[in-house]
Structures are given as C-alpha cells and as structure tokens.
Amino acid sequence: MRRHLTAGLAAVCLAVGAAFAIAPTASAGPLDATCTGTVAVDYSPGLTLTAQTVTASATSTYPSCLTSQTGVTSASASGSVTDTLDCNSLLTTTTGVKTYHWNDGTTSRFEYTRTGTRVLSQTVVTFTGTITSGKFSGDTAVETNIAANLGLLDCLAPGGVTHVDFTALVELT
C-alpha cells in the first residue's frame, strides 16, 4: 500500500514560502544561483518506526532558477542510497554528494553535510557544503528541503511511509 504525505500540502507550501522569504543566504557574497523546485523521495521498503535496510530514491526538479550564467534557467538531480533508515532518519546528520544537472548541459558536483530538524509541523532538511567541480565550482551551496512531518500513524501503517514530497530552495554563492 503506497502511503503519501500530502495532507496539508497547501499549508506547508504557504509556510515554506514564508520560511524561504526570511531564510538567510548561504553567505554574505552575491548569489550565483537561486533555484526553487521539488524533491520527491521514494522509500523501499517503506519507513517505519523500526530501523531497517531501505533504498531511498530521490528525483529533484528545479524549474525556476535565477543565475549569474546566461541561459541557465533550470536544473535537476537524481540519485539513490541504501542505508539503515526509520521514520526519524530524516533528522540525522550525514554527508554525501549530489550532482546538479543544468539545462545548458553542464553539471555541478555538490559535496554536503545534511542535517534535519522539526519546526512546528514541518521537517526541514538542510544540505550545506561546496560545489567542488563543474559550473559554479568553489561556491558555497545550501539546499533547504521542507515537508510535512511524518505522522506516527503513517509510520505504523502496513508498508510504512513509501513516498515524501519536499519543497526545495537551492542557493549558490
């Protein structure tokens, strides 16, 4: 049974917009790029309250980018990881690599530290690090993903939580 966390999505989107409006930029320097979009994550098997080996597959789309580079207006990223996860794993700190694919055919390799926290009814996952190669190499990067908190009943349901949709903001300076 596929469990989706979409209840209250409109409220989350409004809160996300407010959070992004007051969020500080990655550093004091000028923005080289700022992108908004979504991140869809599928979990197999689903997340439950018990830690188990899970494959998390993420597809990120950033259809709206303002950049310092002529013609760069959107980006995407995708990937998967297999790890020991449970419903609280979004709040753990870990490191990783993500590659942004820009609409002009170039890429940016992002090496990050991921942290997570709960703010009211939202889970905020922040990726902070550096673009280590490709377009915008040397930039500081911050990606903030926000979703509704995972509900206890969703985590207890047969099959657990198999999908989470995040709203995303990327800032490169």
Side-chain angles (χ1 to χ4, degrees), residues 45-120:
L47 299 176
T48 64
L49 295 178
T50 304
Q52 62 182 330
T53 300
V54 175
T55 298
S57 301
T59 302
S60 306
T61 56
Y62 313 96
S64 179
C65 295
L66 297 174
T67 75
S68 61
Q69 303 287 314
T70 303
V72 177
T73 59
S74 64
S76 64
S78 63
S80 65
V81 63
T82 299
D83 202 349
T84 302
L85 302 173
D86 61 32
C87 276
N88 290 313
S89 294
L90 295 177
L91 304 179
T92 61
T93 298
T94 188
T95 59
V97 176
K98 182 175 193 172
T99 301
Y100 295 113
H101 299 269
W102 303 98
N103 66 293
D104 68 351
T106 61
T107 61
S108 297
R109 179 183 158 96
F110 176 31
E111 294 185 17
Y112 62 80
T113 298
R114 184 196 79 194
T115 58
T117 188
R118 289 193 176 112
V119 179
L120 300 175

Side-chain angles (χ1 to χ4, degrees), residues 12 15-16 19-20 23-24 88-93 113-128 142-150 164-169:
V12 170
V16 167
F20 287 161
N88 290 313
S89 294
L90 295 177
L91 304 179
T92 61
T93 298
T113 298
R114 184 196 79 194
T115 58
T117 188
R118 289 193 176 112
V119 179
L120 300 175
S121 62
Q122 301 171 345
T123 297
V124 179
V125 181
T126 306
F127 302 80
T128 306
V142 176
E143 179 169 344
T144 305
N145 296 337
I146 301 176
N149 284 334
L150 300 182
V164 178
D165 288 313
F166 292 88
T167 300
L169 172 69

